[in-house]
Amino acid sequence: MTDYKEVLIGQLSEELEVSRDKFVDGALLKDDLGFDSLDLVDVVVLIEETVGVKLTQRDFAGVKTFGQMLDLIEHKRQA
Amino acid sequence: MSAEGWNAKSRGNATGYRIFGFFLRHFGLNFAYINLAYVVLYFVLAAPAQRAALWDYYRRTWHYGRLKSAWCVYLHFFRFGQCLVDKMAITQGLSDKFEFVAEGYDDFLESLNRGSAIMIGAHVGAWETGTPFFGDYAKRMHIVMFDAEYQKIKEAIHRGAPQLPYNIIAVNEDDLGSILKISEALQHNAYVCMQGDRYVNNGRCERLDFMGREAVFPQGPFILGAKMRVPVYFYFSMREGKKYHFYFYRATVSTAGGSRACQLDLMRQYVSRLEQVLHTYPQQWFNLYRFWSDPSAAV
């Protein structure tokens, strides 16, 4: 997971103007990383471009932390 | 940026809708309008917040005198009621009682035939009156609304109201992923309609000059318009007697200065079109709350 995770964190950090060190597994997308629903549109596009994985609204149900988002990406990559 | 916005609740009375539905079915449209003239008197008295908002609108936006403003407030409530009655009549299959004309529709259809599009409307006139006019295209129409509003519609349908001829995308601020339904719909050749004039507290917003005063607009529809790489149209359906005039204005989406610049540019184009519409139809502005953010003053 490490290869793309670092690239993704770098791009998310730049896009959302959030310090890289805040992207830890337990970080809450909304409260700790300041994501709002409109950011998610960018994030999904970014994930698609960086990792080649397309995430849908259904995939995101129940995803609250950055770690859960990474698990979701990994799961979709392997599917 | 934070400001006081719309509280995401709409005023409505099920009994009132039922009574006017009865009038329409049994006595026709004109009878409903005549009764509306009396009902409106009640609302002018019983809806002080809306009355104050309209008073502010006529006195401070249009700079009308007191007498003219008072008359316009009454007419405004009446026009609002007429649009509601018209919507109800069209839902009940009385669309043949109206005439529909459209501007910019060919270009809009061309975009739809090529794929998807975003339509940004406003709380002016009565956008729903366009659905019979759109024919089969209405099946590809997805209206974005807040989940709370959607629940009300579902309850109404459950109680026997007609099914909607279009689809709903219910968004919920607590559910991060709900916004993705919009991009998914666009990927499936849908056209997605949003209102660009209602800011809800805690959402992202922009303060812009609108009709000579500062007002707060939501950024959401314009951010999506700037990012989704599909044609963006501003759509308004305005009442002219028993005729509805649909306006489809294609927006220029330029990504040259980045998405933030594009979003701001879209917002300015939208505000300019909305001003143009209001100058033609001042009584069809249906944001019946204090829309402008400048401090109150006695008027």
Side-chain angles (χ1 to χ4, degrees):
Chain A
M1 196 191 275
T2 330
D3 298 343
Y4 70 82
K5 185 180 166 184
E6 285 309 312
V7 178
L8 193 61
I9 289 176
Q11 293 192 343
L12 285 175
S13 157
E14 200 174 312
E15 182 76 29
L16 304 172
E17 295 171 2
V18 176
S19 151
R20 284 179 75 108
D21 55 14
K22 286 197 171 176
F23 287 87
V24 292
D25 283 357
L28 292 167
L29 296 175
K30 237 173 153 176
D31 299 336
D32 299 331
L33 301 176
F35 276 37
D36 68 12
S37 53
L38 289 163
D39 289 326
L40 203 63
V41 176
D42 284 330
V43 170
V44 167
V45 172
L46 235 156
I47 291 170
E48 198 176 341
E49 286 171 358
T50 315
V51 195
V53 161
K54 199 170 194 167
L55 298 179
T56 65
Q57 180 258 332
R58 201 170 287 180
D59 295 329
F60 260 94
V63 172
K64 299 261 185 255
T65 66
F66 185 61
Q68 287 171 336
M69 192 172 91
L70 291 177
D71 289 344
L72 173 65
I73 294 170
E74 190 57 24
H75 178 75
K76 294 273 279 192
R77 274 185 84 212
Q78 288 175 2
Chain B
M1 184 180 284
S2 150
E4 284 295 309
W6 176 57
N7 63 7
K9 287 176 189 162
S10 298
R11 191 180 173 119
N13 182 315
T15 313
Y17 282 105
R18 271 198 290 271
I19 292 170
F20 274 92
F22 177 83
F23 287 165
L24 284 170
R25 274 192 305 277
H26 299 281
F27 305 108
L29 205 51
N30 287 335
F31 183 83
Y33 291 155
I34 291 166
N35 279 277
L36 185 67
Y38 298 102
V39 173
V40 161
L41 276 175
Y42 163 77
F43 274 101
V44 171
L45 298 171
Q50 288 82 353
R51 191 179 65 224
L54 287 176
W55 182 254
D56 175 80
Y57 171 71
Y58 283 109
R59 292 284 287 150
R60 300 182 66 203
T61 304
W62 289 99
H63 307 290
Y64 286 176
R66 286 173 186 275
L67 203 62
K68 189 173 178 185
S69 295
W71 174 236
C72 284
V73 167
Y74 172 80
L75 277 185
H76 205 113
F77 273 101
F78 183 70
R79 205 63 75 214
F80 182 55
Q82 270 188 318
C83 284
L84 290 177
V85 168
D86 292 350
K87 278 191 266 187
M88 209 184 298
I90 286 168
T91 317
Q92 292 187 4
L94 297 174
S95 55
D96 59 327
K97 304 282 178 205
F98 298 90
E99 194 189 330
F100 302 106
V101 290
E103 204 174 304
Y105 191 53
D106 291 343
D107 179 65
F108 175 64
L109 282 192
E110 221 178 286
S111 291
L112 289 193
N113 290 333
R114 277 199 300 265
S116 50
I118 288 179
M119 289 165 82
I120 306 179
H123 291 82
V124 294
W127 64 266
E128 297 98 322
T129 52
T131 40
F133 181 80
F134 292 151
D136 278 349
Y137 286 99
K139 292 175 190 156
R140 282 168 56 198
M141 187 194 269
H142 287 65
I143 309 289
V144 179
M145 62 173 66
F146 286 98
D147 199 39
E149 284 183 274
Y150 180 48
Q151 293 310 324
K152 276 190 188 174
I153 289 175
K154 278 209 298 197
E155 281 168 28
I157 291 172
H158 185 69
R159 286 197 307 265
Q163 289 286 338
L164 300 174
Y166 43 80
N167 308 287
I168 301 283
I169 296 179
V171 293
N172 182 342
E173 271 301 304
D174 296 329
D175 174 9
L176 267 183
S178 64
I179 199 101
L180 295 178
K181 290 182 212 165
I182 296 174
S183 50
E184 285 162 29
L186 289 171
Q187 281 161 14
H188 290 97
N189 277 353
Y191 56 108
V192 173
C193 313
M194 294 171 269
Q195 302 290 35
D197 58 346
R198 272 203 187 160
Y199 161 69
V200 179
N201 288 333
N202 305 322
R204 291 196 217 172
C205 64
E206 200 74 54
R207 287 176 191 275
L208 295 170
D209 182 77
F210 174 54
M211 303 291 290
R213 299 168 67 185
E214 188 185 79
V216 183
F217 288 84
Q219 288 182 356
F222 305 95
I223 290 178
L224 290 170
K227 286 181 194 295
M228 290 297 174
R229 296 171 193 161
V230 296
V232 177
Y233 288 84
F234 303 136
Y235 163 68
F236 309 105
S237 166
M238 308 308 295
R239 190 178 194 281
E240 294 173 356
K242 282 187 184 165
K243 179 166 87 179
Y244 274 90
H245 197 138
F246 306 129
Y247 296 90
F248 298 88
Y249 297 115
R250 179 148 187 181
T252 311
V253 184
S254 160
T255 48
S259 64
R260 167 74 180 146
C262 177
Q263 169 226 318
L264 265 175
D265 183 46
L266 269 180
M267 292 187 91
R268 290 193 182 110
Q269 290 178 57
Y270 172 80
V271 163
S272 159
R273 288 296 187 187
L274 191 54
E275 284 180 336
Q276 196 179 325
V277 164
L278 276 194
H279 275 104
T280 313
Y281 310 92
Q283 286 164 8
Q284 292 183 53
W285 169 250
F286 298 144
N287 281 306
L288 303 183
Y289 63 94
R290 284 210 183 240
F291 188 82
W292 282 268
S293 49
D294 46 359
S296 305
V299 280

